[in-house]
Structures are given as C-alpha cells and as structure tokens.
Amino acid sequence: MTAELGHYALVLALALALVQSTLPIWGARTGDDALMGTAAPVALAQALFVSISFAALTWAYVTSDFSVVNVYENSHSAKPLIYKISGVWGNHEGSMMLWVLILAVFGALVAIFGKNLPQTLKANVLAVQAWVATAFLLFILFTSNPFLRYEQAPMEGRDLNPILQDVGLAIHPPLLYLGYVGFSICFAFAVAALIDGRLDAAWARWVRPWALTAWIFLTLGIAMGSYWAYYELGWGGWWFWDPVENASFMPWLIGTALIHSAIVMEKREALKVWTVLLAILAFSLSLLGTFLVRSGVLTSVHSFATDPARGVFILLILMLFIGGSLSLYAWRAPTLKQGGLFAPISREGALVFNNLFLSAACAAVLVGTLYPLALESLTGEKISVGAPFFNSTFVPLMIPLLIAMPFGPLLAWKRGDLFAATQRLLFAIGVSVLVTVLVYAFVQGGPLLAPLAVGLAVFVIMGALADIAERAALWRVPLKVSLSRVRGLPRSAWGTAVAHIGMGLVILGIVGETAWKTELVQRVKLGETITVGRYALTLDSLFPRNGPNYQEGVARFVVTRDGANVGTMEAAKRVFTARRMPTTEAALLTHGLSQLYVAPGETITESAIDVRVYDKPLVLWIWLGCVVMVIGGGLSLSDRRFRVGAPRTARARKAALQPAA
Amino acid sequence: MIQAFSKVSRTIDSRTGWLSAAALALTLAAPPSALAVQPAEMLADPAQEARAREISKELRCMVCQNQSIDDSDAGLAKDLRILVRERITAGDSDQDVLQFITSRYGDFVLLRPPWETSTLLLWLSPAAILLAGGIGIAMATRRRRTATPARLSADEEKRVAKLMREE
C-alpha cells in the first residue's frame, strides 16, 4: 500500500508543481497579488507531497518490500539498515527521487525565508523553480518510476552493488545533489530577473548566499567522492579525470566563479550581465552533470540509445532549460543596465581575472569530457581523452590563477595599486621562497618543479594571512589595536582568507602526494618484512572472516616506523554473497597528515599475498584543505549582511522607539 | 561464469581452500575495483620498470571506462602491460613503444589524443577560449571607458548650462 501512496503523492506533487509554474508568474505579469500569493503555500505543499513520496520509497527499502521492482533490484534483506536507506538513492530511479526532494525542499526554503523579497521577484523565482520540478517529476513518472510492483514478489532482493555499500557513498550523492540543486535557486533568480528586466545589487545579495550554500555542499560532495574513490576503488588515486568526476567538477568551477563575481555585483553593481550568465551556466552544468552520470551516455554513445524513452526525455529537458535560458539571456541581457566602472588593475579586475581563468578551465574540462562523444557521433572516429590531456591543459590554467590569488583581496576597488599590493605581499613572497629553497635542499627525490609548487602553495596560504594582517594594520599600530581590529573584521573577510588558505592546503596535499609518494608492488610471504618510504610492514597473518553479507580473506600487517610500532593494517578481498561480486578493501593507516596505503593484489594464497603499498606524504591535506575551504564558505555565509532582515529590523526598532522617547 | 561462481561459493562455504577460491573468483570476474600491475609482471631493472609504468599511464585499457592499463586489472590491460615491457626489454624508446601499440590498436588506445586535424579543436579550445575571453574583456573595458563619459542628452546639456548660469 505504501508504494501506491508514494506514487499517488508524486502525482499530486506534479499537479502542485504545475500550479506553481503558472499562477504566480501570471500574477506577476498582471500585478495580481492573490495569484502571486499562491506561490509560497503551493511550494510548501509540493515539498510536503514529494517528502511523503520519498518517505514511502524509503519505507519500502527499510522493510525490504521486494514486491517493488526498484527495491528488489537494489536491496537485500541482510543488508545493514544504513545501506538499506542509502540504497534508495544508489540507483537511477531513487537518485532522481532524491533530486526532486532536495529541489522541493529548497523551493520551500525560498518560500519560508523569502519574506523580504520583492513580491514579483519571489513569485517569478518560485515559478521558475517549479518549471524545473515539473520537468523532473514528469521524467520520473513517465520513464523512471520507482514504485512499480511485481505481481508476485520475489523472496530475496538482488543487493546493492557492493562497492556502493559504504558510508562514504551513502552521503556522497546527497551532498552532491544539495550542491547541484542549490544552483537551481541561483538559476531561478537569474531567469526571474531576466523576465522582470530588473537587476540590482540587492539581487546579488539574495543570490550569493544560495550560491555559497550550493558551493559548500558541492565542495564537500566532491571531496567526499574523491576520498571514497581513494580508499574504496583500491588503486590509491584520488582524482581520475573520469567523466563522472568532471561532471561534478564543472559546476564547481563555474560556481566558484559565480561566488566571486557576485561579490563585484553586490559591492559595485558591475559585472551584472556576466553574473547572471554564470548563474545560468552553473545550473546548466549541474543538469548536464546529473544526466551525463544518469543516462549512460558516457559509457558509450550506443548505451544511450538502449533506452530511447529516457534518452530523448533527457535531451528534451537539457534543450529546454539550457537552450531556453540562454535564449532568454541573449534576448534580455542587452536591456540590463551596466553598473560601476573600474580600472584593469583593481579588485574588480582581479575578480574578472579569476572568472576568466576559471571559465577557461571549465571549458577545458567540458571539451575534454564531451569531445570523444561528439567526435564519435559525428565521424565515427573513436578517441580517448584521459588524465594526461587534462593534466596538460587544466593545470597550466590554474597556475596563473593561484599566483594572482593573494593579490586580489589586497587591491582596492575601482583602481588598485599593484606595486603597493606586492609590497604588502613581500613577507609572503619571502617565506615561500625560503620554503622552496629549504625543500629543494633538504627533501630528497621528487621532480625538479615540486619545490616550486610547494612554494606556490605556501604563497597562497601566506598571502591569505597577509590580507588579514593588512586589514589589522599589523606592526603599523600597537598590537592591541591590531588584535581588536582582527576581532572586528567582518566574517566575510575571514571567509575569504580561510577559503584561500584551504585552497593552498589542497595544493600542498596534491604536490606532496604526487611528487613524494613511494610505491612498492610485491609478493609478501607470511612473516616477511617490506620497507616502503618511511615505514616497514610485516605480514603478520592471513585469515578468512565472515561479514553480514560478504566473506573476506584478510591480510594483517604490523607497521613500524624507525623501529617504533605505529599500528596494524588489515587489507582484504571480499566476495559479496548475493551478487557473487568480489571487491578489494584497501587498508589505510593515518600517521600525522600522511597515509600508508595497502591494496591487495590479484593473488592471495594461504601463505602469501600480492600487495601494492604506498607511503603518501601530506595526502590528507587534499581533503582537509577542502574542509577548510568549506569552513571559509561557512564563515562568509554567516556574515551579518547576508541576514538581510537583521539590519533592517534594528533600524525599524530604533524608528519605532523614537516617538516614544 | 555463473557456474564457476556457484562452485566458488560452495568452496567458500565448505571453508576449505577458500583463499584460492576467492582468487579464482577474482580472475574469472572483472571486478569494478582494480588491482593493476602485479609483482609477477614487473621488470627486474628498476629504471626500465619505471619507464614501463610511465608509458602505462598514457595507454587506455580498451575494455574499461576511462582507466589506464596501469590502473586496470582487466585481462587485456595485463596483456598490454606485458607487451609494453617486452618492447622496453627489446630496446625500444618510449616513443617507439607508444608507436608500436598505436599501430596495433589505433588512436583509441592513447589517453593523450594525438595532434591531428580531428583533435585540433580539442587541443586548441582551452587556449582559444582564454584568448577570446581576454580580448572580449579588453574590448568591453575600452569601449565603456571611451563611450561612457561623453554621453549627455540635449536636455541634460541644457540643464547643465542653466545650472552653470545660476552659479
């Protein structure tokens, strides 16, 4: 019964989305308050029904209702509860359900927190949001219905793909989708502004928190996915330039450009038209990302055509939203008034530089990802575009960006002084040169350019600190004054500095991992000791073990460093009982910011095992740096000027008090 | 394949020789997780082996999705890894090895697409977009700088003149 309820609730949600798509925008056109007023309550109701529907599907998974096709295909009664729940979005239909759930909840949030929005803008935004919801609900109901039943229920399910049974992957898709769908709000604001023909600094102030929120979740989601691939896929890499990864990376790059250009728009009313374009592009790439991953077009152009209904529907949605919004943009953007002028060397100029390089980097990723598909469908010629291509196009685009990063915050608005900014960065430059020389002199091995890359990372970090020191007028005024200045700095200033430091840390991790990792591939016999980098590993035992829904062979290593015991590691080869699917479970040992990584190889017998062992220095910074970036985003988000209501009510209260006094 | 699996599971259930049974299962199925280069394949000379690894990173495992033969455990990837090492021991340069493999398997095997007319757009577009963006920005700034200040309507001119007179 619950499955039918879920299905019914989804149909009702579609009906509500249709209402929300039309009435408010009609009201906004005709100036009808009542019609515009429908937007918020209908958005709330739509969120309620989508939630009911999603809850019904989750319930079917939790109770292992195998009469539901989707549950049978992706679940198993012996699976731990958390994977039963994460199994809901571990498949195509369920992940689309999660998508519309987040979309509806975000729509409801706009309805609830959008009290200060101009009424027409709010009505238009919610209507555009509902267009997206309508398209996705139709897609689910017509091509990917998760509530279909078997007439006769099978006894047992087919289990979730074993490599997806992992905590990392349980939370990776929701984080990613929170990011993707967060950009839908920016998109809705952009399209609403284009329809309205009005675009001012207040618009940027409204959009920036949403862009930041989406960016935070997307950053977390990508970092999570990268760490998951690192420990689960078992060959020790953390980024593969896989099309699936690229699909989430592109909206991140444009989203990063967006949160920067929105600053310019908010403070200086410049770059308006460009910011709107970025808002549209960020969501378009999110849509593209969702569908690239979901449609199977990446595996091969041909697998796309195996399910024509889905494929054609997907193409229609993409064409409708991307094509439609870009056409609207081309038509309306010229009518938008341009704001503030600025010199090339200025804060605005630096942010334009940032946007230019991020967009070009995104274009490199986009072209690299789609080129093989386009070439094959146009000429039939098959080529591969892999990591070597991206490394040699993307990385060179990042280097100027990183070098420029510390300069941006130190330049004044309108007209900056590059020489003065350089002077303020002298200390940061000195430290990074010193570090480069020290690394060059004392760290052995690694490519010749690696110390320079470390220097660049240090420059980014020190540059971010230099900005804080500059704002505190450190050394120019008494220390006490500086400290109180530091305390008085707006959160957004801290946000910038912390996020930039996070970026520097990520670079440090990447350089440490790529330049100084040690690798050993070897057959190890019981009792034998191998040395990898700074560690010695002894194969202590080999034994079988049973898990809840798998059986595994475990190799246990005792690890020492300079003679001192640092721990034990258990690498395993698993066979999942339901799907008879073997997986490898790499063992990780964290030591400071480095990790020792043991991946079991092909052969494993009762007395020996083939292993691939890595000593990866600084590798943890790759993900911790992302967390630091996210903290920076959070700080910026908590800045009081984003709580637009706050200053206004304070002023209102003062005004109210005056007559009484 | 399925029969082999049920046999494997029986062996595992009876708890005898389970390790080799698991290994058998692994060699039979192509698991999504990769095990890549194996100890038995490696060359004795560390310098030659290092070259083999670098070359392997440039070559695609043709039956996998976006994996290099260095990362993949598929049978075909293993064959290619061994082939690369054979060529290196035979005295080929890195370029020779890549050429030899491409002549057999076509451009599809290269993860770094070669410079050709069909890939020109691919290789040039990142730089082209950066350049176009840069020129676009430069033109927009110049246009706005020269155009904006000198734009008073006749009405405004009249008002300015009037204000000046009042001064």
Side-chain angles (χ1 to χ4, degrees):
Chain A
M1 204 28 212
T2 34
E4 282 68 32
L5 273 180
H7 193 178
Y8 190 56
L10 205 62
V11 177
L12 285 179
L14 172 65
L16 287 164
L18 283 170
V19 172
Q20 193 188 329
S21 302
T22 44
L23 291 192
I25 205 162
W26 182 258
R29 294 256 84 174
T30 55
D32 187 328
D33 286 356
L35 283 181
M36 282 192 274
T38 58
V42 174
L44 291 175
Q46 190 213 329
L48 176 72
F49 281 101
V50 173
S51 306
I52 290 174
S53 182
F54 190 83
L57 183 62
T58 312
W59 183 250
Y61 267 86
V62 171
T63 56
S64 292
D65 182 354
F66 296 126
S67 68
V68 178
V69 179
N70 190 252
V71 180
Y72 160 75
E73 280 174 351
N74 299 292
S75 197
H76 192 277
S77 60
K79 212 161 58 167
L81 182 64
I82 172 176
Y83 300 133
K84 280 185 184 163
I85 295 172
S86 72
V88 175
W89 54 79
N91 59 85
H92 170 77
E93 289 83 357
S95 72
M96 287 293 109
M97 286 291 289
L98 180 68
W99 218 99
V100 287
L101 175 71
I102 296 173
L103 187 72
V105 169
F106 275 10
L109 287 177
V110 173
I112 295 168
F113 293 111
K115 293 215 170 71
N116 301 321
L117 282 175
Q119 202 183 11
T120 50
L121 180 64
K122 186 178 175 183
N124 282 335
V125 166
L126 285 172
V128 176
Q129 186 81 357
W131 298 348
V132 181
T134 306
F136 273 80
L137 287 167
L138 283 172
F139 179 66
I140 294 179
L141 286 167
F142 283 120
T143 72
S144 316
N145 188 347
F147 295 109
L148 297 177
R149 291 247 202 208
Y150 282 119
E151 225 164 279
Q152 278 186 322
M155 283 301 289
E156 188 51 272
R158 286 180 49 204
D159 206 357
L160 177 66
N161 185 341
I163 59 162
L164 301 185
Q165 292 186 32
D166 182 272
V167 186
L169 214 66
I171 52 177
H172 168 63
L175 285 174
L176 218 53
Y177 283 9
L178 281 166
Y180 285 171
V181 180
F183 286 127
S184 79
I185 310 250
C186 305
F187 173 83
F189 267 95
V191 172
L194 288 174
I195 293 173
D196 231 11
R198 267 188 27 205
L199 197 61
D200 47 25
W203 182 90
R205 189 171 277 210
W206 269 105
V207 166
R208 212 157 88 85
W210 286 108
L212 258 175
T213 310
W215 179 87
I216 287 172
F217 282 121
L218 198 55
T219 310
L220 274 179
I222 292 173
M224 187 75 243
S226 154
Y227 192 63
W228 171 79
Y230 169 74
Y231 73 72
E232 179 71 22
L233 293 185
W235 68 97
W238 44 270
W239 192 260
F240 305 96
W241 293 110
D242 188 88
V244 174
E245 289 170 323
N246 295 348
S248 65
F249 195 42
M250 290 186 278
W252 187 87
L253 288 167
I254 292 298
T256 309
L258 174 64
I259 57 181
H260 286 89
S261 80
I263 303 176
V264 181
M265 180 168 168
E266 186 191 334
K267 299 258 181 168
R268 301 268 309 125
E269 287 230 17
L271 301 190
K272 278 184 194 177
V273 178
W274 173 242
T275 307
V276 168
L277 181 62
L278 284 179
I280 291 175
L281 286 181
F283 182 61
S284 299
L285 288 168
S286 298
L287 276 182
L288 188 71
T290 310
F291 286 136
L292 277 181
V293 176
R294 284 292 146 211
S295 68
V297 65
L298 289 173
T299 337
S300 124
V301 183
H302 310 292
S303 84
F304 183 66
T306 50
D307 192 347
R310 261 181 207 174
V312 170
F313 211 117
I314 285 170
L315 270 181
L316 275 178
I317 292 185
L318 283 180
M319 269 159 44
L320 190 69
F321 282 98
I322 302 180
S325 59
L326 288 178
S327 309
L328 183 68
Y329 177 81
W331 175 42
R332 301 285 286 194
T335 64
L336 297 170
K337 260 209 260 166
Q338 276 290 8
L341 286 168
F342 55 88
I345 302 290
S346 61
R347 183 88 61 91
E348 294 96 320
L351 289 162
V352 168
F353 185 88
N354 151 305
N355 276 217
L356 176 63
F357 277 82
L358 282 173
S359 308
C362 179
V365 179
L366 181 71
V367 172
T369 309
L370 296 184
Y371 203 85
L373 296 176
L375 193 66
E376 193 188 341
S377 51
L378 288 178
T379 68
E381 190 183 340
K382 285 183 79 158
I383 61 159
S384 305
V385 180
F389 169 83
F390 293 104
N391 287 337
S392 51
T393 51
F394 181 83
V395 177
L397 283 170
M398 281 299 105
I399 290 170
L401 191 60
L402 291 169
I403 294 174
M405 214 161 133
F407 288 93
L410 288 169
L411 291 171
W413 293 107
K414 286 183 89 167
R415 185 178 295 277
D417 184 344
L418 196 57
F419 182 68
T422 315
Q423 272 184 325
R424 287 166 192 160
L425 283 172
L426 275 183
F427 182 68
I429 294 169
V431 172
S432 67
V433 169
L434 186 70
V435 170
T436 309
V437 171
L438 287 178
V439 170
Y440 187 73
F442 292 107
V443 182
Q444 282 161 9
L448 220 57
L449 283 175
L452 274 178
V454 173
L456 182 59
V458 171
F459 177 57
V460 168
I461 295 168
M462 292 304 296
L465 292 173
D467 177 38
I468 294 290
E470 181 57 33
R471 283 163 180 267
L474 194 68
W475 314 132
R476 290 204 304 270
V477 294
L479 200 61
K480 228 170 121 189
V481 181
S482 278
L483 278 179
S484 78
R485 275 186 151 200
V486 163
R487 241 170 294 151
L489 280 183
R491 293 256 182 94
S492 60
W494 281 110
T496 305
V498 171
H500 284 191
I501 290 173
M503 190 70 234
L505 294 174
V506 172
I507 308 295
L508 207 56
I510 292 175
V511 177
E513 199 275 341
T514 30
W516 286 289
K517 85 174 157 209
T518 342
E519 183 189 18
L520 185 75
V521 185
Q522 200 177 317
R523 171 161 302 173
V524 191
K525 294 192 196 73
L526 257 180
E528 191 183 334
T529 301
I530 51 173
T531 313
V532 183
R534 303 158 289 176
Y535 302 90
L537 295 92
T538 310
L539 181 56
D540 177 67
S541 51
L542 283 161
F543 56 94
R545 191 162 57 190
N546 283 337
N549 51 349
Y550 58 83
Q551 289 158 322
E552 61 181 353
V554 185
R556 179 185 288 154
F557 290 89
V558 175
V559 186
T560 59
R561 181 175 173 175
D562 305 326
N565 190 326
V566 271
T568 57
M569 299 175 78
E570 290 183 355
K573 304 197 68 118
R574 278 184 192 165
V575 179
F576 280 77
T577 11
R579 288 201 179 187
R580 305 261 168 264
M581 192 159 162
T583 67
T584 60
E585 298 295 314
L588 288 171
L589 183 79
T590 305
H591 198 238
L593 289 163
S594 308
Q595 276 187 330
L596 192 62
Y597 188 108
V598 179
E602 208 169 81
T603 315
I604 171 168
T605 68
E606 275 104 339
S607 62
I609 181 170
D610 282 355
V611 284
R612 204 172 184 185
V613 188
Y614 301 94
D615 173 14
K616 290 171 175 278
L618 300 182
V619 68
L620 277 187
W621 276 132
I622 296 175
W623 306 288
L624 289 179
C626 290
V627 173
V628 173
M629 272 199 268
V630 164
I631 293 172
L635 279 171
S636 196
L637 193 59
S638 70
D639 195 276
R640 77 188 288 277
R641 74 170 192 282
F642 282 141
R643 299 195 292 273
V644 178
R648 188 175 297 171
T649 46
R651 218 178 302 134
R653 210 178 301 130
K654 210 184 256 171
L657 279 174
Q658 263 163 359
Chain B
M1 191 87 126
I2 287 160
Q3 278 171 346
F5 276 137
S6 59
K7 192 174 138 214
V8 168
S9 78
R10 267 206 310 281
T11 336
I12 291 176
D13 291 342
S14 64
R15 298 292 211 97
T16 50
W18 64 272
L19 276 171
S20 43
L24 175 67
L26 285 163
T27 46
L28 283 174
S33 54
L35 312 154
V37 63
Q38 300 301 315
E41 300 166 10
M42 291 167 65
L43 296 174
D45 178 359
Q48 283 190 339
E49 176 60 25
R51 275 177 58 208
R53 297 295 302 279
E54 282 310 309
I55 295 173
S56 298
K57 285 178 187 145
E58 299 276 332
L59 294 172
R60 179 190 182 124
C61 158
M62 318 246 299
V63 294
C64 316
Q65 235 198 88
N66 193 52
Q67 276 183 4
S68 73
I69 59 167
D70 193 51
D71 287 335
S72 170
D73 68 327
L76 185 66
K78 186 174 181 150
D79 294 347
L80 272 180
R81 281 197 299 267
I82 292 170
L83 187 59
V84 165
R85 284 168 174 80
E86 276 172 12
R87 296 312 307 170
I88 288 179
T89 10
D92 277 12
S93 73
D94 293 5
Q95 212 49 49
D96 292 341
V97 179
L98 285 176
Q99 222 144 47
F100 179 81
I101 304 260
T102 321
S103 69
R104 279 191 163 191
Y105 294 91
D107 285 350
F108 186 61
V109 80
L110 296 172
L111 281 171
R112 187 196 303 269
W115 269 93
E116 274 167 13
T117 36
S118 63
T119 59
L120 219 57
L121 204 60
L122 171 73
W123 280 106
L124 293 181
S125 58
I129 284 164
L130 187 69
L131 204 67
I135 293 171
I137 290 168
M139 276 169 50
T141 350
R142 174 170 297 183
R143 195 172 56 232
R144 288 184 55 202
R145 253 209 249 147
T146 49
T148 323
R151 213 193 273 157
L152 285 180
S153 66
D155 240 20
E156 285 166 332
E157 296 281 8
K158 234 180 265 172
R159 274 178 59 207
V160 170
K162 195 177 159 220
L163 284 167
M164 294 291 275
R165 267 201 307 275
E166 277 169 15
E167 280 291 301

